[in-house]
């Protein structure tokens, strides 16, 4: 029995995660938003035609969204600490790293739009190398954290229902490429360009509902 879990606080943390996802999705749309099909969506090509001010706004929100995402990730520690404090810390740290690094490369990603406009074309290869390295770190941290998350939910009776594992967002993000040809005009930029953050928004929203339901149950039982 998880006597020390503050369900109301978990609701707030899930809300931070939702806000982080929405803010990052806004940043994505600053980069890509326009009517297009999923099959025709090419992120860098779209960014090359975006006004510089819009690119800057999209980049600036990255670290802020990453911070909100990281705050939302604290829910893992609160949910798991009564079962295995060490693994709770590791899971939380991995997700925090993923989101912080993700917010960082989102900001740097802005430079792809600048490169396309000819501002710093000669540095394009170096920028690509930096972004690729950051993406790999974020991806490895996210997958590792997700595997441990699945283990904790399966191994222990936590506040997370076991069915929520179906919606583990890091694995859903891998479907971005396969579903692209099936996204019709004009939704390509929104769905494919924002797919990663849509997956995390949906997951944090599910967590919000689960935690809010737990709060209602606790109030009813009091």
């Amino acid at each position: 029995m998880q006597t020390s879990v503050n369900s109301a606080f978990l609701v707030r943390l899930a809300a931070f995660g939702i806000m982080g996802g929405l803010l990052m999705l806004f940043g994505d749309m600053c980069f890509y938003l326009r009517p297009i099909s999923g099959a025709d969506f090419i992120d860098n090509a779209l960014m090359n035609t975006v006004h510089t001010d819009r690119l800057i706004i999209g980049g600036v929100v990255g670290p802020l969204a990453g911070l909100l995402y990281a705050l939302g990730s604290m829910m893992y520690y609160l949910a798991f600490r009564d079962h295995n404090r060490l693994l709770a810390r590791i899971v939380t740290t991995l997700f925090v790293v993923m989101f912080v690094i993700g917010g960082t490369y989102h900001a740097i990603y802005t430079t792809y739009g600048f490169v396309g406009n000819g501002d710093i074309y000669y540095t394009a290869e170096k920028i690509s190398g930096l972004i690729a390295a950051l993406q790999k770190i974020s991806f490895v941290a996210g997958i590792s954290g997700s595997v441990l998350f699945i283990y904790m939910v399966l191994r222990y009776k936590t506040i997370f229902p076991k069915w929520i594992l179906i919606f583990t967002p890091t694995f859903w993000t891998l479907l971005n490429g396969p579903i692209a040809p099936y996204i019709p005009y004009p939704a390509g930029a929104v769905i494919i360009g924002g797919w990663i953050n849509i997956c995390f928004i949906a997951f944090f929203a599910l967590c919000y509902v689960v935690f809010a339901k737990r709060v209602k149950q606790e109030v009813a039982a009091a």
Side-chain angles (χ1 to χ4, degrees):
M1 183 69 177
Q2 287 186 278
T3 57
S4 65
V5 174
N6 187 325
S7 301
F9 191 45
L10 285 172
V11 170
R12 297 187 187 98
L13 291 176
F16 278 125
I18 295 170
M19 289 187 287
L22 290 172
L23 186 57
M24 194 76 85
L25 181 61
F26 168 76
D28 289 337
M29 294 306 99
C30 286
F31 292 160
Y32 312 128
L33 185 60
R34 69 185 54 202
I36 196 170
S37 69
D40 294 328
F41 177 83
I42 303 175
D43 50 3
N44 291 355
L46 291 176
M47 291 178 69
N48 292 342
T49 63
V50 173
H51 191 276
T52 299
D53 290 342
R54 182 171 148 183
L55 289 172
I56 291 173
I57 293 171
V60 166
V61 302
L64 300 176
L67 176 60
L68 289 170
Y69 262 146
L71 286 172
S73 296
M74 296 304 297
M75 70 181 186
Y76 297 111
Y77 178 72
L78 266 67
F80 295 151
R81 64 180 178 182
D82 290 344
H83 304 291
N84 188 316
R85 193 172 293 267
L86 175 60
L87 286 181
R89 289 171 177 168
I90 293 174
V91 171
T92 303
T93 300
L94 287 169
F95 279 113
V96 168
V97 168
M98 180 187 72
F99 287 127
V100 169
I101 296 295
T104 300
Y105 81 67
H106 182 95
I108 298 173
Y109 205 81
T110 307
T111 56
Y112 276 139
F114 299 157
V115 169
N117 289 324
D119 296 343
I120 49 175
Y121 183 78
Y122 63 93
T123 65
E125 185 176 347
K126 296 178 181 178
I127 293 170
S128 295
L130 174 59
I131 291 174
L134 291 171
Q135 287 176 328
K136 287 178 182 177
I137 294 171
S138 181
F139 178 77
V140 170
I143 292 295
S144 301
S146 296
V147 170
L148 285 176
F149 168 71
I150 291 171
Y151 168 77
M152 292 294 289
V153 174
L154 291 177
R155 172 68 176 80
Y156 302 103
K157 186 177 180 181
T158 72
I159 194 172
F160 290 103
K162 296 193 185 326
W163 58 259
I164 207 168
L165 297 179
I166 299 172
F167 301 97
T168 304
T170 44
F171 300 116
W172 280 92
T173 62
L174 301 177
L175 297 176
N176 198 348
I179 68 171
Y182 304 100
I183 305 303
Y185 178 96
V190 175
I191 296 178
I192 301 304
W195 179 251
I196 292 175
N197 292 299
I198 289 171
C199 291
F200 280 99
I201 291 168
F203 180 73
F204 277 109
L206 280 175
C207 292
Y208 183 96
V209 171
V210 168
F211 301 153
K213 183 178 179 180
R214 175 68 173 263
V215 171
K216 290 181 179 179
Q217 292 173 343
E218 291 173 350
V219 170

